[in-house]
């Protein structure tokens, strides 16, 4: 299961793909991708917050918060939250129950992709490889998610420069 760095990159990729108007909006979308790990606070990582149901609920909260005026942001928040569910499903996990409760509230089954695309972030700080393992996990996430993030950033940057050039509309 990726670190906050990997999850934030997932949110930024979604945000950049949907062309947010401000950096604040992009930051909000990135936070939505990290937010499902709030369940660490009550010691239950990978349960209800790690579901597509929670992703839809988050979008509905944004829709209500903006009084229906920003459905685009609501969709972005739902998609960014969903990347967290996807990445944790694709990641390694060594703490049972393995996987995520992806289809909550329809089902409380835990789904595990068995794909090991991302490393599991270790919280066992007493182990000798704690720092090296987590450093490798963050590097691997960055190597996987960095290129699409940089490509989208470059495309947005180019589009913005073109739209600001005199004589263009
Ligand atoms: Zn998570």
């Amino acid at each position: 299961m990726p670190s906050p760095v990997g999850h934030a990159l997932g949110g930024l990729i979604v945000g950049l793909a949907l062309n947010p108007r401000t950096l604040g909006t992009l930051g909000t979308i990135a936070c939505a991708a990290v937010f499902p790990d709030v369940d660490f606070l009550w010691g239950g990582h990978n349960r209800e917050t790690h579901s597509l149901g929670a992703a839809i609920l988050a979008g509905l909260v944004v829709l209500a918060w903006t009084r229906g005026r920003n459905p685009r942001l609501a969709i972005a928040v739902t998609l960014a939250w969903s990347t967290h569910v996807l990445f944790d499903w694709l990641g390694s996990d060594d703490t049972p129950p393995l996987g995520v409760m992806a289809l909550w509230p329809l089902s409380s089954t835990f789904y595990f992709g068995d794909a090991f695309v991302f490393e599991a972030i270790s919280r066992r700080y007493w182990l000798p490889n704690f720092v090296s393992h987590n450093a490798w996990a963050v590097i691997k996430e960055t190597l996987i998610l960095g290129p699409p993030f940089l490509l989208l950033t470059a495309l947005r940057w180019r589009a913005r420069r073109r739209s600001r050039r005199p004589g263009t509309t």
Side-chain angles (χ1 to χ4, degrees):
M1 305 198 163
S3 72
V5 173
H7 286 306
L9 280 171
L12 289 170
I13 289 168
V14 167
L16 287 166
L18 295 176
N19 196 14
R21 291 195 183 98
T22 66
L23 276 178
T25 305
L26 188 59
T28 302
I29 297 166
C31 285
V34 179
F35 195 78
D37 280 342
V38 72
D39 59 3
F40 275 120
L41 293 178
W42 52 88
H45 181 250
N46 72 6
R47 296 176 187 271
E48 291 84 357
T49 59
H50 288 68
S51 67
L52 298 179
I56 292 168
L57 274 176
L60 290 174
V61 166
V62 169
L63 203 58
W65 186 268
T66 60
R67 297 183 185 168
R69 278 177 276 183
N70 203 341
R72 197 179 170 90
L73 179 60
I75 290 167
V77 163
T78 295
L79 292 176
W81 193 296
S82 301
T83 64
H84 191 114
V85 179
L86 175 69
F87 291 177
D88 278 2
W89 179 72
L90 287 172
S92 301
D93 192 0
D94 52 10
T95 309
L98 301 183
V100 288
M101 211 186 262
L103 299 181
W104 179 87
L106 299 177
S107 165
S108 294
T109 304
F110 285 83
Y111 294 90
F112 183 53
D114 224 7
F116 307 101
V117 173
F118 301 104
E119 299 295 321
I121 295 297
S122 172
R123 297 184 290 280
R124 298 177 179 117
Y125 56 85
W126 58 89
L127 294 179
N129 68 342
F130 172 76
V131 172
S132 59
H133 170 80
N134 286 341
W136 165 239
V138 172
I139 289 168
K140 190 174 175 187
E141 294 162 11
T142 307
L143 288 173
I144 294 169
L145 299 167
F149 166 72
L150 290 175
L151 178 68
L152 285 166
T153 302
L155 289 172
R156 289 283 155 251
W157 181 262
R158 214 172 94 179
R160 185 163 285 193
R161 281 189 64 183
R162 271 194 187 157
S163 67
R164 284 184 180 169
R165 205 175 286 163
T168 57
T169 52

